[in-house]
Amino acid sequence: MSIKVFNVVKDYSRQRALEGVSFEVQSGNVVGFLGPNGAGKSTMMKIITGFIPQTSGIVEVNGVNVENQEVDIRKEIGYLPENNPLYTDMYVKEYLRFVANIYNLGKSTDKRISELISITGIGYEQNKKIGSLSKGYRQRVGLAQALIHNPSVLILDEPTSGLDPNQILEIRKLIKSIGQEKTVLLSTHIMQEVQAICQKIIIINKGKVVADGATEDIIARSKGKGSNILVEFVETLDEQIFFKIKEISAVANMGDNTWLLSTNNKDDIRPIIFRFAVENDLTLVAMQQKGKQLEEIFQSLTK
Ligand code: ADP
């Protein structure tokens, strides 16, 4: 279960949308594919799924060249396109049957439809018309159609866009659980989404890859230059007391007994602050590391 992209270029009539994109995605990962609008995410995803051809370069899914029509690699790929186009006049089950027939699921069709209705939690909606469903449920139907042929690789183009906060959490949970068994590449604008579900990220900007690595590593690397720690004590303190901690370079009061402590130290200094509180008989009631967030990293890479 893998996706390999080598030096892919895509020209639309007048415009170069991808300029030599290369990356690899291995199995059992949920990989966030990030980039500002127009960066080329949808274009890359359509090429991986075989919907449109690249101008040059190679894409392999599970070791098979996607352009090689002799092996139907599309059976290995599930795709939820941007805006999740569905036939709104069809009933949920009817639609899933329609998709199952495209993949020739034959005798196993009914069983597979039942399984997916259960996995995606659309039991109560299964006999409704797609047009009458809420956006969150339509998204689940979209995921069900992408999974119906049990593909090993799943390409999801902005799967939570337009959903309300509760729906977003549920769809994320679903994607996370699907990601344990499959290779998932998902595009999104939402950085918390990436931090919540993606082990790896690939950031593209203007058709080029600008970052590729484990989410934790990318955050840690740019955090190397220090961090801020938000602390709250029961006691009312004077700011000078914090300078007893040699790792602290700046102190700001955030109201009442809450303080923002800055350090240039690249290590986590929370244990040091904790020991300081104990040694000085202070009651520490909250402590939160405010490192550089992915949001900032994304902005600096895609300016
Ligand atoms: P993203 O998904 O990151 O927003 P897209 O892949 O949709 O980016 O688009 C990348 C660039 O290619 C954009 O500048 C867009 O206008 C252009 N583009 C996308 N699809 C087409 C198309 N069918 N014809 C011409 N240009 C296109």
Side-chain angles (χ1 to χ4, degrees):
M1 297 198 283
S2 65
I3 304 168
K4 289 185 185 168
V5 174
F6 304 102
N7 205 17
V8 167
V9 171
K10 175 68 184 177
D11 290 329
Y12 288 112
S13 51
R14 287 210 189 126
Q15 191 183 355
R16 178 152 288 192
L18 297 173
E19 291 201 38
V21 170
S22 302
F23 60 82
E24 280 189 31
V25 176
Q26 294 301 334
S27 68
N29 271 313
V30 179
V31 178
F33 194 42
L34 317 179
N37 276 333
K41 303 180 295 298
S42 294
T43 299
M44 190 67 247
M45 290 181 138
K46 284 181 205 157
I47 291 172
I48 295 170
T49 54
F51 261 65
I52 59 171
Q54 62 269 40
T55 304
S56 63
I58 298 169
V59 177
E60 287 178 3
V61 171
N62 297 348
V64 175
N65 190 325
V66 173
E67 282 188 313
N68 177 358
Q69 298 297 328
E70 283 165 36
V71 185
D72 195 357
I73 192 63
R74 287 187 212 190
K75 285 190 179 145
E76 290 298 318
I77 305 171
Y79 178 37
L80 178 66
E82 198 179 7
N83 304 321
N84 185 17
L86 296 169
Y87 294 103
T88 49
D89 281 337
M90 281 179 123
Y91 290 87
V92 172
K93 261 184 149 170
E94 183 189 16
Y95 173 66
L96 293 178
R97 192 175 303 279
F98 166 75
V99 181
N101 287 341
I102 295 174
Y103 290 106
N104 290 324
L105 294 196
K107 277 191 199 144
S108 59
T109 298
D110 285 346
K111 189 166 164 269
R112 188 64 188 147
I113 291 176
S114 302
E115 274 170 13
L116 276 161
I117 285 174
S118 156
I119 293 169
T120 55
I122 49 177
Y124 287 115
E125 275 65 31
Q126 60 179 302
N127 296 314
K128 293 186 184 166
K129 237 183 194 179
I130 291 174
S132 73
L133 301 181
S134 70
K135 238 183 149 173
Y137 278 104
R138 284 189 204 191
Q139 212 64 358
R140 287 167 191 251
V141 175
L143 278 171
Q145 70 73 29
L147 288 163
I148 198 130
H149 52 301
N150 198 20
S152 56
V153 171
L154 206 57
I155 309 288
L156 309 174
D157 201 349
E158 301 199 10
T160 60
S161 116
L163 302 185
D164 73 32
N166 291 334
Q167 294 167 336
I168 286 179
L169 290 182
E170 300 216 333
I171 295 287
R172 278 184 197 162
K173 209 161 105 193
L174 190 55
I175 294 171
K176 209 171 172 178
S177 79
I178 294 167
Q180 288 171 352
E181 291 171 14
K182 301 186 185 293
T183 300
V184 181
L185 183 70
L186 74 93
S187 73
T188 177
H189 294 294
I190 312 166
M191 296 302 136
Q192 298 107 300
E193 184 146 296
V194 176
Q195 282 179 299
I197 56 178
C198 302
Q199 292 91 355
K200 209 188 139 184
I201 53 181
I202 296 163
I203 305 180
I204 62 167
N205 188 37
K206 296 180 185 150
K208 289 183 182 160
V209 174
V210 292
D212 178 354
T215 312
E216 278 179 10
D217 291 348
I218 289 182
I219 295 172
R221 234 178 284 147
S222 45
K223 216 161 40 182
K225 295 166 193 78
S227 57
N228 297 318
I229 297 123
L230 195 66
V231 290
E232 185 184 351
F233 292 91
V234 168
E235 297 81 7
T236 302
L237 300 172
D238 184 278
E239 77 170 52
Q240 288 308 318
I241 192 168
F242 295 111
F243 289 108
K244 284 188 184 174
I245 308 171
K246 69 175 185 337
E247 286 79 3
I248 285 177
S249 54
V251 176
N253 185 266
M254 307 301 282
D256 295 334
N257 299 329
T258 303
W259 300 85
L260 189 68
L261 310 178
S262 302
T263 177
N264 294 324
N265 204 311
K266 63 180 184 329
D267 299 326
D268 184 359
I269 66 157
R270 284 175 300 176
I272 296 173
I273 297 173
F274 183 77
R275 281 196 294 274
F276 160 83
V278 173
E279 281 159 15
N280 289 276
D281 214 11
L282 301 174
T283 320
L284 182 61
V285 287
M287 178 155 65
Q288 194 186 6
Q289 179 108 349
K290 294 278 195 191
K292 223 181 192 181
Q293 294 301 301
L294 201 50
E295 194 88 48
E296 279 178 71
I297 298 166
F298 177 81
Q299 280 168 0
S300 69
L301 287 170
T302 60
K303 242 184 246 156

